[in-house]
Amino acid sequence: MKQSILVLRYAKALLELAEQKDLVDKILYDLKLVKNTIEENKELRTLIGQPFVSKTHKKNILSKIFKDKIADITIDFLNLLIDKNREEIMCFVYDSYYELYLELKKIAVVTIISAVPLDEHTTNRIVNILKYKIVDKDTIEIKNIVDKSIIGGFKVNYKDYQYDASVQDTLRRLHSAFGKNLYVKTY
């Protein structure tokens, strides 16, 4: 919990700076590149996490890797994390920054789980219905996940909201209803 609050604070500060410099989208791309590079490269991840490696050496390595690929603000941000001994949160900052980015741009990312891939017509119908439920967002992005175990229908997930219109859920509710002993003596 403490680390997530810390990550959120760093992400908010970076977003505020990015807004001032009009680099919000560029910083998002940079943070994703940094996260993917660190997660895919075990040696780099290990080196950054080692306390006995000097801060200067870590900064030089990151500078060589990301030179001409990311903005100077992002490199300065990574150097700040190293100076403050917060290297372990480098990969987590992207996730918090992305959530703040979505709020700033008023984008809702809705996950729809279905038994088969959704066609464009069905997706548009669901988006039109969701526009009335999610009024404070300008754009709704759909992320479709195919899960054959739900048999049919779909599930909609957005933050804490979940709507389950799957055959699997219907069968579960019917099983629960028929599992009760409905026999009542009437004599």
Side-chain angles (χ1 to χ4, degrees):
M1 181 70 176
K2 197 173 194 179
Q3 185 172 348
S4 63
I5 293 171
L6 180 70
V7 170
L8 184 61
R9 285 182 181 167
Y10 276 103
K12 279 183 181 178
L14 183 60
L15 182 66
E16 287 176 12
L17 182 62
E19 282 183 286
Q20 291 172 4
K21 304 284 184 180
D22 197 29
L23 293 170
V24 176
D25 295 326
K26 173 69 175 140
I27 301 297
L28 179 69
Y29 169 78
D30 292 351
L31 290 175
K32 186 172 185 177
L33 178 66
V34 169
K35 178 183 178 180
N36 290 342
T37 304
I38 291 172
E39 286 179 347
E40 291 171 3
N41 192 326
K42 183 180 179 182
E43 293 84 14
L44 178 62
R45 191 172 55 243
T46 305
L47 180 95
I48 289 174
Q50 294 300 324
F52 58 83
V53 177
S54 72
K55 293 178 182 181
T56 307
H57 188 63
K58 291 178 185 179
K59 289 178 187 179
N60 289 338
I61 289 172
L62 290 177
S63 179
K64 287 179 184 176
I65 292 172
F66 296 113
K67 186 178 181 181
D68 301 328
K69 293 179 184 168
I70 62 176
D72 291 336
I73 293 173
T74 311
I75 289 187
D76 292 342
F77 178 74
L78 296 176
N79 289 338
L80 174 71
L81 290 177
I82 292 170
D83 287 338
K84 299 288 185 179
N85 296 320
R86 304 285 187 209
E87 300 93 336
E88 74 276 358
I89 68 169
M90 274 186 196
C91 292
F92 301 113
V93 172
Y94 167 75
D95 298 327
S96 291
Y97 187 91
Y98 182 65
E99 291 295 322
L100 294 169
Y101 174 85
L102 292 176
E103 288 296 321
L104 177 70
K105 299 288 186 174
K106 296 187 176 183
I107 300 172
V109 178
V110 178
T111 304
I112 299 176
I113 303 168
S114 59
V116 295
L118 297 176
D119 61 353
E120 187 175 336
H121 176 70
T122 307
T123 304
N124 289 338
R125 285 183 60 200
I126 293 172
V127 166
N128 288 334
I129 292 168
L130 290 173
K131 283 184 180 178
Y132 295 106
K133 296 281 184 191
I134 310 171
V135 250
D136 63 331
K137 304 296 181 189
D138 296 337
T139 308
I140 297 176
E141 290 182 8
I142 300 294
K143 180 179 169 186
N144 184 217
I145 298 173
V146 177
D147 181 7
K148 295 188 185 300
S149 70
I150 68 169
I151 305 169
F154 60 91
K155 295 179 182 181
V156 177
N157 295 322
Y158 172 67
K159 292 188 177 181
D160 293 338
Y161 175 78
Q162 181 175 2
Y163 177 74
D164 194 343
S166 65
V167 174
Q168 180 187 38
D169 184 57
T170 305
L171 290 173
R172 182 190 55 76
R173 284 186 280 125
L174 284 171
H175 184 270
S176 175
F178 285 123
K180 296 176 185 174
N181 186 2
L182 299 177
Y183 177 74
V184 179
K185 290 185 179 182
T186 57
Y187 61 93

